[in-house]
PDB file of all heavy atoms in Angstrom:
ATOM      1  N   LEU A 116      -9.841 -26.539 -10.180  1.00 68.00           N
ATOM      2  CA  LEU A 116      -9.921 -26.174  -8.781  1.00 68.00           C
ATOM      3  C   LEU A 116      -9.588 -27.312  -7.889  1.00 68.00           C
ATOM      4  O   LEU A 116      -8.942 -27.130  -6.916  1.00 68.00           O
ATOM      5  CB  LEU A 116     -11.372 -25.750  -8.506  1.00 68.00           C
ATOM      6  CG  LEU A 116     -11.769 -24.303  -8.954  1.00 68.00           C
ATOM      7  CD1 LEU A 116     -13.336 -24.037  -8.761  1.00 68.00           C
ATOM      8  CD2 LEU A 116     -10.976 -23.272  -8.179  1.00 68.00           C
ATOM      9  N   LYS A 138      -5.378  -8.994   3.564  1.00 68.00           N
ATOM     10  CA  LYS A 138      -4.567  -8.076   4.449  1.00 68.00           C
ATOM     11  C   LYS A 138      -4.479  -6.702   3.857  1.00 68.00           C
ATOM     12  O   LYS A 138      -4.572  -5.686   4.522  1.00 68.00           O
ATOM     13  CB  LYS A 138      -3.160  -8.746   4.592  1.00 68.00           C
ATOM     14  CG  LYS A 138      -3.074  -9.896   5.503  1.00 68.00           C
ATOM     15  CD  LYS A 138      -1.645 -10.331   5.631  1.00 68.00           C
ATOM     16  CE  LYS A 138      -1.484 -11.614   6.540  1.00 68.00           C
ATOM     17  NZ  LYS A 138      -0.102 -12.078   6.552  1.00 68.00           N
ATOM     18  N   LEU A 167     -15.221  14.318  16.123  1.00 93.00           N
ATOM     19  CA  LEU A 167     -15.996  13.711  17.127  1.00 93.00           C
ATOM     20  C   LEU A 167     -17.315  13.112  16.709  1.00 93.00           C
ATOM     21  O   LEU A 167     -17.753  11.985  17.082  1.00 93.00           O
ATOM     22  CB  LEU A 167     -16.165  14.672  18.353  1.00 93.00           C
ATOM     23  CG  LEU A 167     -14.932  15.176  19.035  1.00 93.00           C
ATOM     24  CD1 LEU A 167     -15.259  16.253  20.022  1.00 93.00           C
ATOM     25  CD2 LEU A 167     -14.211  13.945  19.741  1.00 93.00           C
TER      26      LEU A 167
END
Side-chain angles (χ1 to χ4, degrees):
L116 284 172
K138 285 181 182 178
L167 294 173

